[in-house]
Amino acid sequence: MQTKYFLRANTSSGLVNLTESNLSGIKNIYILNGQSKFLKDRILKNIEKYTLEREKDVETAISPFDISQLDAVILRNEKTAVLDASCVTKIEKCTPIETDEFVANKKMAKYKARQEELSKKEQEAIFGLYSAYSGAKIIHDEWEKKYIENIDFERLNRFEDGLLENMIQKKSEEISPKTFKRFFGASTPDGSVNYIENITEDIKTRYFIKGRPGTGKSTFMKKLAKKAEDNGYSCQIYYCSFDKNSLDMVLIPELSFCVFDSTAPHELFPSRESDTVLDFYKEAGLSGIDEKLEKDFDDIKRRYAFRITEGVAKLRLANGYMKEREAYFKEAANIELADKTADKIIRKILT
């Protein structure tokens, strides 16, 4: 089975990296160093392809800068991970692989000035992305405040307490529970992308949380994650790819259930008999507030959408610069050496 998710996300606070917790229990770590994303991606995809052909479980981390590229391949049963160096900060025990050795320096030398120019433009576009998203977050906070001021917290807390009691009633028998922090979706050059259906494919019970900004969706999931961890359950915690301090999903494999924020930009609807909708808007006592504050909300939504659209445009611009830079690496790359390196890693992992 293949599970897809993001280790990194372009948030309103900048680039957030959650790689570390996903390396829990991993003994063999290969780090792909080098300037060319093309070469690192090719090695990762060769490894991914080999494992899928042999029907092995594989976790694939997608790049938020280009969903056609990979950030990492994790083979948890083999206790092995292969990662783009851009996803890691400091790992003491690892096997580094220098992909710059697969690039003809003489060919790249004539493109040096253009490469530097493109790199500078790419960074400027990324800075513009984060500036736009930071502005959008301020507007989103204004949006949340309108709802928070009208919530019936006593009613909402009773509702949440009842859910927590029913969802987790006993302690787990797991010996070494683990918590994995990830993103199920991200803002990408292709817009908002998520892998909820893939991640929850084998999960028996799915709770779809519906509600407006500020209606307690993330707060409830934080309570759920804490109760699960306190009771010894391994958890997959998926953070919001816009607000790093919010949660969008909690998945508990041992209990085969998950709870996730099913609102835009990752709005889904029940498709199985076991799917359940949790209406936080209703339980927060907010019925009628949208009509009452319609003009205010329309203005907020317009301003928020403008900043988000601005940010995505900057991300697409950065992606264009990146692709032009990578075209030069493709021309100068020794693909045969990259493929042989992937083969060597595969032999060490799976033979």
Side-chain angles (χ1 to χ4, degrees):
M1 177 181 174
Q2 181 180 31
T3 303
K4 296 181 180 181
Y5 52 79
F6 294 91
L7 291 173
R8 303 183 295 166
N10 294 302
T11 78
S12 58
S13 302
L15 182 65
V16 174
N17 189 333
L18 298 178
T19 300
E20 185 177 353
S21 72
N22 291 279
L23 299 181
S24 176
I26 302 297
K27 294 184 178 180
N28 307 307
I29 301 175
Y30 296 84
I31 304 297
L32 304 176
N33 296 311
Q35 301 177 68
S36 172
K37 180 66 177 177
F38 161 72
L39 284 169
K40 292 181 282 188
D41 179 62
R42 186 176 181 89
I43 292 171
L44 288 167
K45 282 181 177 170
N46 281 347
I47 296 169
E48 176 194 43
K49 181 174 182 289
Y50 185 93
T51 55
L52 289 175
E53 287 175 346
R54 281 148 187 81
E55 299 183 345
K56 291 184 175 292
D57 290 339
V58 57
E59 296 173 20
T60 303
I62 310 299
S63 169
F65 294 100
D66 188 334
I67 60 172
S68 70
Q69 297 181 329
L70 306 185
D71 271 348
V73 172
I74 300 176
L75 305 174
R76 204 159 294 281
N77 292 338
E78 286 74 23
K79 299 182 179 180
T80 298
V82 186
L83 306 102
D84 184 326
S86 61
C87 293
V88 299
T89 51
K90 182 180 179 182
I91 296 178
E92 294 181 0
K93 294 182 179 181
C94 67
T95 301
I97 297 171
E98 306 299 331
T99 63
D100 282 346
E101 295 177 359
F102 311 149
V103 179
N105 291 329
K106 288 184 179 180
K107 284 187 178 181
M108 287 302 298
K110 61 182 179 179
Y111 303 126
K112 183 178 179 181
R114 180 57 178 164
Q115 284 272 10
E116 291 176 350
E117 180 185 3
L118 289 168
S119 181
K120 182 179 179 181
K121 288 184 176 181
E122 182 183 341
Q123 291 306 309
E124 288 174 351
I126 292 296
F127 179 81
L129 158 68
Y130 297 142
S131 177
Y133 278 10
S134 176
K137 177 62 167 60
I138 293 172
I139 298 169
H140 197 273
D141 288 346
E142 180 185 345
W143 196 359
E144 286 189 344
K145 186 179 178 183
K146 295 284 186 183
Y147 286 109
I148 292 172
E149 289 173 344
N150 291 277
I151 286 177
D152 182 340
F153 284 102
E154 184 177 345
R155 174 178 174 177
L156 182 60
N157 288 335
R158 285 199 305 269
F159 175 63
E160 292 183 353
D161 290 343
L163 290 174
L164 290 171
E165 181 65 27
N166 289 326
M167 288 177 177
I168 301 176
Q169 298 176 325
K170 61 180 181 179
K171 284 188 173 290
S172 168
E173 296 180 358
E174 286 191 46
I175 298 174
S176 302
K178 297 180 176 66
T179 297
F180 301 101
K181 299 177 181 180
R182 303 164 177 167
F183 300 99
F184 65 55
S187 178
T188 79
D190 295 297
S192 179
V193 174
N194 74 75
Y195 296 103
I196 297 173
E197 292 288 5
N198 167 260
I199 292 167
T200 65
E201 183 178 354
D202 290 337
I203 298 301
K204 292 180 180 178
T205 304
R206 304 186 302 175
Y207 293 94
F208 294 59
I209 296 184
K210 303 292 183 178
R212 306 292 194 269
T215 53
K217 302 185 298 292
S218 175
T219 300
F220 168 71
M221 283 186 273
K222 288 177 181 178
K223 292 178 182 178
L224 176 63
K226 185 178 187 306
K227 184 172 182 180
E229 290 171 338
D230 289 347
N231 279 272
Y233 289 97
S234 287
C235 294
Q236 295 175 19
I237 299 177
Y238 293 84
Y239 283 76
C240 174
S241 60
F242 176 70
D243 180 359
K244 67 175 184 178
N245 296 313
S246 293
L247 301 189
D248 271 350
M249 180 194 284
V250 175
L251 187 153
I252 305 175
E254 186 180 346
L255 298 177
S256 195
F257 89 83
C258 69
V259 178
F260 67 94
D261 183 338
S262 182
T263 60
H266 34 76
E267 184 174 20
L268 298 179
F269 296 93
S271 58
R272 311 174 193 169
E273 289 187 5
S274 57
D275 289 343
T276 301
V277 172
L278 303 175
D279 191 343
F280 273 55
Y281 180 75
K282 175 184 175 183
E283 297 300 335
L286 290 169
S287 297
I289 198 67
D290 282 344
E291 293 76 13
K292 180 181 177 181
L293 300 177
E294 183 178 3
K295 289 185 178 179
D296 290 342
F297 287 145
D298 285 347
D299 176 62
I300 290 172
K301 291 175 184 177
R302 176 187 56 78
R303 290 184 285 120
Y304 175 74
F306 177 82
R307 295 313 302 267
I308 291 295
T309 301
E310 180 185 6
V312 173
K314 292 293 185 181
L315 181 53
R316 286 174 180 156
L317 190 62
N319 180 252
Y321 295 136
M322 181 195 74
K323 285 184 175 178
E324 186 177 342
R325 283 198 305 110
E326 287 300 321
Y328 297 124
F329 281 109
K330 288 181 183 179
E331 183 181 333
N334 187 326
I335 295 175
E336 184 179 351
L337 283 178
D339 291 345
K340 285 182 178 179
T341 298
D343 289 341
K344 288 180 182 178
I345 296 173
I346 289 168
R347 284 198 297 272
K348 287 183 180 179
I349 298 172
L350 301 174
T351 59

